[in-house]
Amino acid sequence: MVGTSRGGAVRVAAVVLAGAGLAAGVVPAANAQDTGAATAVSAVADQARRVDRAALDAGLRAVVASGGATAALGRVREDGRTLWKGAAGTADLTTGAPAAARDRFRIGSATKTFVATVVLQLVAEHRIGLDDPVETHLPGVVRGGAGISVRQLLNHTSGLYNYTSDPAFAYADDASFQTWLSTDRWKSRTLAELVAVAEGHPVYFPPGQDWHYSNTDYILLGMLIGKTTGRSWQQEVERRIIRPLGLSETTMPENDPTVPGDHTRAYVSLPSGPVDITLFNPTIAGPAGAGISTTADLAAFMSALLGGRLLGPAELAEMKRTTGLGRGADYGLGLERTPTPCGDFWGHRGDSLGYSSIMLGDDTGRRQVVLSRNPYDPAGLPAAEAAFTSLVTAAACAGRTA
């Protein structure tokens, strides 16, 4: 969504890396036999004993040690049980309150996986076709829509310009940054307005010919959900995913600039000291990155998704069908493959203004890893990123044989 850096001037760039019943889209999980359940519980308990929690805690501390992050959170979950959870750093620099594993944070582009799941549920209900032209469902909304498929929006092969790359979303000097702080951060934007920004630029390539991450794709998918269901994308994520799974700490805000409940706060480092940038109008991101959640809720979501409780086998297979194109070779339909020494994991990174996170689940749907950090001092960012990357692997493989 929006990132910050410090040099001769302040720069803030928007990069939002960045009719059915309530549970209609949920595929019931098979009931395990009592003996099988007991065996699974025993196996997880054994795995938990093998997890080096001290090493994972140290990994979180390494993320914040350089000053490149003010806080870091983490969780490893397997077969419905938490093997490890932790927190490091400070949630609020003003009060000095320490970060806690339960804290909420902005999830940025991890929102896209929720949106993609709703779209694939609509595909399963035969209300949308993956290879339908966008023009069929959103006539006249986007230039060239007759040649762009729903699938190409989901996997970023549409070629559409990424609206957050527009100069209107970049604040390249101190004066414009102050304008963002006092005015622009509170602006409300419609989905149509964000698409119009993208329409002011040429496409990157003809649809399907290459891969380019574009938040515009998911703005259109949010519009598609609204047109198909008669409800907003937020309402559909709520009724199809959040409520059925009991994700009580996950929200998909419309205009509310706050992060509810206990949460880590976001800051930008200036010569004069930290400036709190936690609050802003989330319509800048919408279905491309407006979500808020916790490590526990994201782990539960990934478990349900990859475990087959939200999508049928055919739709889940489509979600994992990667493009094989360029930098998006491992990108599927709102889901990205992440190879680790312990096998492939699937999930999504999420970057928002002052937040960076990743949610992952293994191919079996048994293990989930969720990590979050609050980037801060640019001088320490490389070290924080390296520590965060190392922690992803350590958490994925914790208690397992690589």
Side-chain angles (χ1 to χ4, degrees):
M1 293 184 345
V2 182
T4 59
S5 62
R6 183 183 72 190
V10 178
R11 181 177 182 272
V12 177
V15 256
V16 186
L17 269 163
L22 181 65
V26 177
V27 180
N31 291 324
Q33 296 295 324
D34 290 343
T35 55
T39 301
V41 169
S42 177
V44 174
D46 183 57
Q47 192 107 314
R49 284 191 291 270
R50 297 199 303 267
V51 170
D52 189 343
R53 298 181 184 86
L56 295 176
D57 288 340
L60 281 177
R61 292 194 297 271
V63 173
V64 302
S66 68
T70 54
L73 315 175
R75 184 177 300 264
V76 176
R77 184 177 184 264
E78 186 155 310
D79 292 335
R81 296 181 61 184
T82 296
L83 303 185
W84 166 80
K85 62 181 178 181
T90 307
D92 188 323
L93 296 183
T94 300
T95 66
R102 67 179 181 276
D103 285 344
R104 300 188 196 192
F105 50 91
R106 295 192 187 274
I107 67 173
S109 285
T111 305
K112 291 180 172 71
T113 308
F114 286 83
V115 171
T117 300
V118 171
V119 172
L120 284 162
Q121 289 180 348
L122 293 172
V123 169
E125 294 164 11
H126 306 291
R127 301 169 74 178
I128 293 173
L130 279 175
D131 297 312
D132 288 352
V134 174
E135 185 70 14
T136 300
H137 300 281
L138 299 173
V141 171
V142 63
R143 184 176 62 246
I148 301 171
S149 69
V150 172
R151 184 191 303 276
Q152 289 165 343
L153 295 180
L154 285 163
N155 67 13
H156 298 298
T157 60
S158 71
L160 292 172
Y161 181 83
N162 177 23
Y163 75 91
T164 54
S165 295
D166 185 272
F169 294 93
Y171 299 81
D173 53 37
D174 292 331
S176 61
F177 177 61
Q178 291 303 321
T179 298
W180 178 82
L181 282 175
S182 62
T183 305
D184 288 1
R185 72 194 294 187
W186 313 119
K187 280 185 178 179
S188 184
R189 299 165 170 89
T190 67
L191 300 182
E193 287 171 347
L194 298 177
V195 172
V197 172
E199 289 285 87
H201 298 268
V203 299
Y204 295 121
F205 47 79
Q209 298 304 300
D210 203 345
W211 184 89
H212 194 291
Y213 195 90
S214 177
N215 291 301
T216 307
D217 293 335
Y218 277 75
I219 298 302
L220 288 164
L221 289 168
M223 296 174 77
L224 176 61
I225 290 170
K227 183 68 178 294
T228 303
T229 67
R231 288 177 287 269
S232 71
W233 70 270
Q234 291 101 328
Q235 290 171 319
E236 286 298 290
V237 169
E238 175 79 23
R239 67 187 291 270
R240 290 171 175 268
I241 301 174
I242 294 175
R243 289 187 198 166
L245 296 183
L247 307 181
S248 61
E249 296 179 314
T250 299
T251 55
M252 298 289 159
E254 296 184 26
N255 291 287
D256 188 348
T258 65
V259 179
D262 293 334
H263 58 276
T264 58
R265 301 193 68 84
Y267 300 91
V268 60
S269 174
L270 299 183
S272 57
V275 175
D276 192 321
I277 54 173
T278 306
L279 306 182
F280 63 89
N281 190 311
T283 57
I284 188 177
I292 295 167
S293 193
T294 62
T295 60
D297 273 11
L298 291 182
F301 169 56
M302 293 306 292
S303 174
L305 177 60
L306 295 169
R309 292 199 293 138
L310 291 172
L311 297 175
E315 289 72 40
L316 189 54
E318 289 288 359
M319 203 174 204
K320 294 179 180 178
R321 189 191 299 266
T322 58
T323 69
L325 295 171
R327 293 183 298 112
D330 286 321
Y331 201 93
L333 307 184
L335 204 62
E336 186 171 24
R337 180 171 54 209
T338 299
T340 80
C342 301
D344 286 346
F345 278 65
W346 295 87
H348 214 291
R349 280 195 73 137
D351 291 300
S352 181
L353 202 163
Y355 297 87
S356 183
S357 61
I358 189 167
M359 61 177 188
L360 297 171
D362 70 3
D363 206 35
T364 68
R366 293 186 59 203
R367 171 168 290 205
Q368 299 81 44
V369 172
V370 184
L371 301 169
S372 172
R373 63 190 167 112
N374 295 80
Y376 181 57
D377 186 354
L381 286 178
E385 176 67 25
F388 193 78
T389 300
S390 295
L391 185 57
V392 170
T393 299
C397 296
R400 291 183 170 185
T401 301

